[in-house]
Amino acid sequence: MISKSDNSKPVTFTNEELIERIFELKKQKNAVLLAHYYQIPEIQDIADYVGDSLGLSQNASKSKADIIVFAGVHFMAETAKILNPGTKVLLPDLEAGCSLADSCPKDDFAEFKAKYPDHKVISYINCTADIKTMSDVICTSGNAKEIVESFSEEEKIIFAPDKNLGGYINNITGRNMVLWDGTCEVHDILSTEAVINLKMENPDAKVIAHPECKAQVLELADFVGSTTAMLKFTMKDPSKKYIVATETGILHEMQKNSPDKEFLIVATDETCSCNDCPYMKKITLGKIYLSLKNETPEIILSEDVIKKAEIPIKRMLDISRKMNLL
Ligand code: 13P
Ligand code: SF4
């Protein structure tokens, strides 16, 4: 549940004025701005921390700020609240949801889970707090393989909600997890045709892909990994050109870290050269400013949900720490 407010009213400040005010308010209120790599460049550039879902969870759990402003989507802000319940967590736009999290409603999942009473549940972090309360452990794309492999091969497992990531992990680990039928609309839409066409035009480019993409796209990739893993790969790999099968926002950090390299996004249609997540892109500088000023909309979760959901998330962070993934 999120408290109501309207941060969509147009603000008349320039970007420079907004940034100045955001910095003033952050200082005055002891607030931090956490941003996912899929945010617009202007937001990434002023954030206190920019990262993938795993890095953001770790950062939120350690934060000493009084307020966390989350430039990301619902499930990320909820995770921050669960890991840091004493902190006020703000999500600047109520509409910043996630098709993947929405694909797994709690009652339907409870029914599904009941069909497999002897199975453990591993849930991808891109799910609601309610689904987290029904899970044994959470994973992100940055640690999914290691989390799955922390269970013995005999263990029966349900993986939810992303069937593409779950299928990919089944493939590389030889497991046979039962998959919930959910997808991310931003990654699942990417086609093999689009990747092949780009590769034909740019035979010298390497293909890098996020595991939320379809199996056929992943098969064409030279490297598959989480947002941070892809970024690190482009920083150390000797190639000069990459075909990037994920959300457009990550190109900003890739280009910043490797200014001499070229990055080509796999677009969803021929009329643009982007693949934007419509939910991530709901967050703007104006909404961040209003959110900080008015301290709304705030993420509110019941004590019971926080208590139950923090167990599988902390389990994930513990395993990740032990495996040096953090
Ligand atoms: P990561 O940030 O973990 O790579 O996940 C990508 C994503 O789709 C976030 O919504
Ligand atoms: Fe959800 Fe996909 Fe957007 Fe990530 S990119 S927030 S998984 S819809």
Side-chain angles (χ1 to χ4, degrees), residues 38 73 75 97-100 126 184-187 212 277 279-280:
Y38 297 169
V73 292
F75 74 81
C98 167
S99 68
L100 185 50
N126 302 31
C184 155
E185 66 181 49
V186 177
H187 289 89
E212 286 173 21
C277 169
Y279 311 102
M280 288 279 183

Side-chain angles (χ1 to χ4, degrees), residues 167-183:
Y168 171 69
I169 300 294
N170 270 346
N171 218 353
I172 59 172
T173 60
R175 304 285 172 113
N176 188 24
M177 300 185 291
V178 177
L179 308 179
W180 175 264
D181 187 12
T183 54

Side-chain angles (χ1 to χ4, degrees), residues 270-288:
E270 280 150 23
T271 60
C272 79
S273 56
C274 65
N275 182 31
D276 284 335
C277 169
Y279 311 102
M280 288 279 183
K281 265 41 183 198
K282 290 229 174 261
I283 311 293
T284 61
L285 285 174
K287 289 177 194 173
I288 291 175

Side-chain angles (χ1 to χ4, degrees), residues 70-318:
F70 217 109
V73 292
H74 277 190
F75 74 81
M76 295 180 171
E78 273 185 345
T79 305
K81 182 70 187 173
I82 293 162
L83 289 168
N84 212 328
T87 302
K88 185 177 268 192
V89 178
L90 306 173
L91 180 64
D93 190 327
L94 292 174
E95 310 269 303
C98 167
S99 68
L100 185 50
D102 289 349
S103 75
C104 193
K106 90 172 170 185
D107 292 343
D108 295 358
F109 187 66
E111 225 175 89
F112 180 79
K113 190 181 159 183
K115 287 192 212 152
Y116 304 95
D118 55 348
H119 284 53
K120 291 277 190 294
V121 176
I122 303 181
S123 294
Y124 188 35
I125 198 161
N126 302 31
C127 65
T128 61
D130 286 324
I131 299 299
K132 290 183 173 82
T133 66
M134 292 185 243
S135 307
D136 293 286
V137 63
I138 301 304
C139 73
T140 74
S141 50
N143 59 20
K145 179 174 178 286
E146 289 79 4
I147 297 287
V148 169
E149 287 180 334
S150 72
F151 289 87
S152 78
E153 285 185 33
E154 290 70 45
E155 195 80 70
K156 293 178 181 156
I157 298 171
I158 292 174
F159 188 91
D162 190 355
K163 69 171 178 190
N164 288 342
L165 174 64
Y168 171 69
I169 300 294
N170 270 346
N171 218 353
I172 59 172
T173 60
R175 304 285 172 113
N176 188 24
M177 300 185 291
V178 177
L179 308 179
W180 175 264
D181 187 12
T183 54
C184 155
E185 66 181 49
V186 177
H187 289 89
D188 193 56
I189 199 173
L190 297 179
S191 67
T192 48
E193 288 78 9
V195 177
I196 291 166
N197 287 343
L198 269 176
K199 184 76 186 171
M200 281 190 331
E201 288 160 22
N202 303 275
D204 53 332
K206 274 193 185 149
V207 178
I208 57 173
H210 194 280
E212 286 173 21
C213 295
K214 283 194 275 275
Q216 299 91 312
V217 168
L218 298 180
E219 273 163 30
L220 298 171
D222 297 286
F223 179 79
V224 176
S226 73
T227 313
T228 298
M230 278 196 274
L231 173 65
K232 286 188 179 157
F233 177 77
T234 60
M235 286 160 69
K236 60 175 195 324
D237 181 73
S239 300
K240 289 282 177 213
K241 212 191 250 189
Y242 299 90
I243 293 166
V244 187
T246 190
E247 212 268 2
T248 323
I250 187 61
L251 261 54
H252 180 58
E253 200 63 26
M254 285 179 174
Q255 201 72 74
K256 234 162 86 175
N257 283 285
S258 309
D260 58 326
K261 296 190 178 188
E262 197 181 338
F263 299 96
L264 308 162
I265 199 82
V266 180
T268 44
D269 70 70
E270 280 150 23
T271 60
C272 79
S273 56
C274 65
N275 182 31
D276 284 335
C277 169
Y279 311 102
M280 288 279 183
K281 265 41 183 198
K282 290 229 174 261
I283 311 293
T284 61
L285 285 174
K287 289 177 194 173
I288 291 175
Y289 160 66
L290 288 175
S291 177
L292 256 171
K293 181 168 166 261
N294 303 327
E295 298 189 21
T296 56
E298 182 183 356
I299 301 286
I300 314 263
L301 293 168
S302 74
E303 263 180 50
D304 185 51
V305 166
I306 291 180
K307 219 169 81 194
K308 289 186 183 142
E310 80 168 348
I311 299 168
I313 308 176
K314 288 201 166 153
R315 203 167 275 151
M316 166 188 84
L317 291 175
D318 283 348

